[in-house]
Amino acid sequence: MATVSEVQDEPGQPPALTAISLAEASQGPTAKEQIITPFDVSGGIDEHGKTKAIDYEKLIDTFGSQRIDEALLQRFEKVTGHKPHRLLRRGMVFSHRDLNLILDKYEKGIPFFLYTGRGPSSDSMHVGHTIPFEFTKYLQDVFDVPLVIMLTDDEKFFHSQKLSLKDTHRFALQNAMDIIAVGFDPKKTFIFADTDFVDGGYSAAFNGNVRELGKRTTNNQIKGTFGFTDSNNIAEFAFPAMQSASAFATSFPFIFGPEPKKVAKIPCLIPCAIDQDPYFRQCRDIAPRLNYIKPAIIHSVFLPSLRGSESKMSASDVDSSIFLSDTNNQIKKKVGKAFSGGQDTRELHREIGGRTKIDVPFQYLIFFLEDDDQLERIRVAYEKGEMESGDMKRTCTEELQAYVSAFRERRAQVTQAVLDEFMRPRQLVFRGMPSEGERAAAKEKRIRELEAELARLREEP
């Protein structure tokens, strides 16, 4: 097994990533390696043609990240004074880069910020999308830090032959309202859609970082990291620089202040699913060359598809997903058809028990059921054959119905005015925020810039 030091943290590395991205590695006539990229996720096929579950241990090895172990969890609890989130306790948030350094800085009172995002591909998110956002909210509450959420409507447009920019922008605004309903603090959260922010009046510093990152990234590095070929469009090659720019506090002077040298010292923690790691490994390689701190990353696993743990829940496959807009009856029907780890007959199930490791309803309970003791009782009963598959599905259905119903209630409170406030570039409130004098100076600078722009417009014929 490779150690962290043996796997380089730079674009195009480790070499096996390209094989994973293109699924070309072969173990036999029909075998295929798992595919884990920002654009495709599947567990692979063994030499017998059978689909395999995603191997997260192998990903840690291949990507060169570090497992979140018990010692790190204990330190997290000691430093923050909070019990680790259920996703941390159960290994659903399982891997990291430099989380220990973030804890070091927090312990010393050094501020940092959170950054996460969403690629809007549909007008409603599914429950799998809420996993990283729910965990991010927990981190925001525990650390009391500002958060930037990037909606990459442009990326979805670049990568899709079917979606128009108008489509993806509409999805972004709908998804933003879903994200707000998770419960983020409006005083500490800024949400933006790329197509609005990048062309707006507050993006000069952000665009400057995009250019600096782009200049230091070659096409060969992008090909090595993402598996792109000459058939990919040039916008796809350029986009990683934009996604990376949000990892640096200097991109948001209206939040962190107008002094680049001072702001550049503010670190970033990125909670995301493991398929997003290639973007930020590339970003981490370039950061020191810009005199920036490498962003820290914390990875979550995927919520399995209703069809099984070989692939993740996907918005493009309606029958594989539980959407946040689904009714209680739709949830019941979908869970009823979910892949089960129960045995073929009731007698056999009672004799040897169910298989929780492949049972999708039980896997969902790991993600959504808060009570550790109850979860353990369910696991034991199912594996002993005392609990049948129908009972497992009913328990899962009730938990998901309660989860989605609570979301719908919060979502109903998200008005256009609430959305506008979250997406308005503004000073956020947090420990270590710019002083009143710094904010006043930044405001005056902004006024001068706008007055100069207005004067130029008046002089035009």
Side-chain angles (χ1 to χ4, degrees):
M1 181 177 288
T3 64
V4 172
S5 61
E6 292 170 340
V7 185
Q8 299 181 46
D9 185 21
E10 63 183 23
Q13 297 294 334
L17 180 58
T18 301
I20 290 177
S21 300
L22 301 179
E24 291 177 343
S26 177
Q27 301 170 350
T30 60
K32 291 184 179 180
E33 284 285 353
Q34 62 184 0
I35 303 171
I36 309 296
T37 76
F39 320 108
D40 195 7
V41 173
S42 63
I45 301 174
D46 67 17
E47 63 274 16
H48 304 295
K50 183 179 179 181
T51 54
K52 299 187 295 184
I54 296 168
D55 187 340
Y56 291 103
E57 288 293 337
K58 186 173 183 178
L59 281 179
I60 289 176
D61 241 13
T62 305
F63 283 5
S65 59
Q66 294 175 283
R67 172 161 284 285
I68 297 176
D69 57 18
E70 185 60 32
L72 187 56
L73 288 179
Q74 290 177 5
R75 179 154 189 254
F76 182 97
E77 184 166 2
K78 179 181 178 181
V79 170
T80 65
H82 290 265
K83 181 180 180 180
H85 191 276
R86 66 177 185 276
L87 297 175
L88 277 170
R89 301 194 304 270
R90 298 170 188 170
M92 300 297 101
V93 174
F94 72 108
S95 169
H96 76 101
R97 298 183 189 276
D98 292 343
L99 176 59
N100 53 314
L101 299 183
I102 291 292
L103 293 177
D104 289 344
K105 293 181 183 299
Y106 179 77
E107 208 167 21
K108 296 174 182 176
I110 299 172
F112 70 92
F113 76 104
L114 295 167
Y115 159 43
T116 193
R118 158 97 179 114
S121 57
S122 64
D123 57 3
S124 176
M125 290 166 46
H126 58 62
V127 291
H129 293 139
T130 66
I131 297 298
F133 286 112
E134 181 188 335
F135 181 64
T136 300
K137 179 189 181 303
Y138 163 83
L139 294 176
Q140 184 184 57
D141 293 343
V142 166
F143 289 108
D144 190 24
V145 290
L147 164 65
V148 171
I149 299 175
M150 182 182 198
L151 300 173
T152 57
D153 52 346
D154 50 352
E155 180 204 24
K156 288 300 178 184
F157 168 67
F158 298 152
H159 287 286
S160 173
Q161 296 299 316
K162 298 179 180 179
L163 295 175
S164 68
L165 197 56
K166 183 178 180 180
D167 290 332
T168 58
H169 184 253
R170 184 180 75 254
F171 295 159
L173 298 183
Q174 289 298 315
N175 288 182
M177 298 179 86
D178 287 346
I179 292 166
I180 291 168
V182 172
F184 293 107
D185 186 340
K187 295 181 180 179
K188 295 180 171 64
T189 307
F190 172 55
I191 302 175
F192 69 96
D194 284 354
T195 54
D196 290 332
F197 181 67
V198 172
D199 295 332
Y202 285 85
S203 62
F206 179 91
N207 290 334
N209 277 335
V210 172
R211 287 189 287 270
E212 294 286 355
L213 288 157
K215 181 179 179 179
R216 290 163 176 80
T217 307
T218 68
N219 281 349
N220 283 339
Q221 287 172 330
I222 295 295
K223 287 180 177 180
T225 300
F226 297 97
F228 286 178
T229 67
D230 290 341
S231 64
N232 287 87
N233 63 60
I234 60 174
E236 291 175 291
F237 276 88
F239 180 77
M242 182 171 292
Q243 181 150 322
S244 295
S246 291
F248 304 122
T250 53
S251 292
F252 308 103
F254 53 89
I255 297 175
F256 300 104
E259 301 179 27
K261 289 185 178 180
K262 178 181 177 182
V263 174
K265 297 177 182 178
I266 301 175
C268 174
L269 174 60
I270 305 171
C272 63
I274 186 68
D275 62 333
Q276 297 299 302
D277 185 77
Y279 279 114
F280 301 116
R281 187 168 59 255
Q282 189 108 33
C283 175
R284 283 168 58 85
D285 175 72
I286 298 173
R289 288 185 270 164
L290 296 174
N291 293 318
Y292 291 159
I293 298 172
K294 289 183 178 184
I297 313 168
I298 187 165
H299 303 119
S300 62
V301 304
F302 306 110
L303 186 69
S305 160
L306 284 162
R307 295 193 176 95
S309 56
E310 298 83 10
S311 61
K312 68 174 182 175
M313 191 175 282
S314 172
S316 61
D317 185 351
V318 175
D319 294 330
S320 77
S321 305
I322 304 291
F323 287 88
L324 295 169
S325 58
D326 281 349
T327 64
N328 284 352
N329 192 45
Q330 286 174 316
I331 294 171
K332 180 180 179 180
K333 288 182 178 179
K334 288 183 177 182
V335 175
K337 296 177 181 179
F339 185 83
S340 171
Q343 303 299 334
D344 292 339
T345 66
R346 179 173 293 178
E347 291 73 20
L348 186 60
H349 186 86
R350 288 174 177 171
E351 179 182 347
I352 64 176
R355 297 157 291 179
T356 55
K357 289 185 178 180
I358 64 171
D359 190 275
V360 169
F362 181 76
Q363 294 300 311
Y364 288 0
L365 290 176
I366 295 176
F367 280 89
F368 295 105
L369 183 62
E370 182 64 40
D371 190 318
D372 292 339
D373 293 335
Q374 183 182 359
L375 182 68
E376 179 61 11
R377 288 193 297 271
I378 291 171
R379 183 193 68 79
V380 171
Y382 195 65
E383 291 181 353
K384 285 184 176 181
E386 297 168 355
M387 182 181 199
E388 297 184 356
S389 296
D391 298 323
M392 179 69 79
K393 288 183 175 181
R394 277 192 292 274
T395 301
C396 175
T397 296
E398 291 169 1
E399 194 65 31
L400 283 174
Q401 287 174 336
Y403 186 89
V404 174
S405 293
F407 169 83
R408 282 197 296 262
E409 291 178 7
R410 296 192 301 271
R411 178 65 168 79
Q413 304 303 313
V414 181
T415 63
Q416 183 64 46
V418 171
L419 175 65
D420 291 344
E421 179 62 15
F422 269 93
M423 300 189 77
R424 179 174 64 87
R426 66 202 187 283
Q427 174 67 64
L428 301 182
V429 178
F430 56 95
R431 184 181 64 176
M433 62 187 288
S435 66
E436 186 175 341
E438 290 173 322
R439 297 199 301 274
K443 181 178 179 180
E444 286 301 318
K445 180 182 178 182
R446 179 67 182 150
I447 290 172
R448 289 195 299 271
E449 291 171 347
L450 291 173
E451 287 176 340
E453 178 66 19
L454 183 60
R456 284 193 294 269
L457 288 172
R458 284 173 173 160
E459 292 174 359
E460 288 180 2

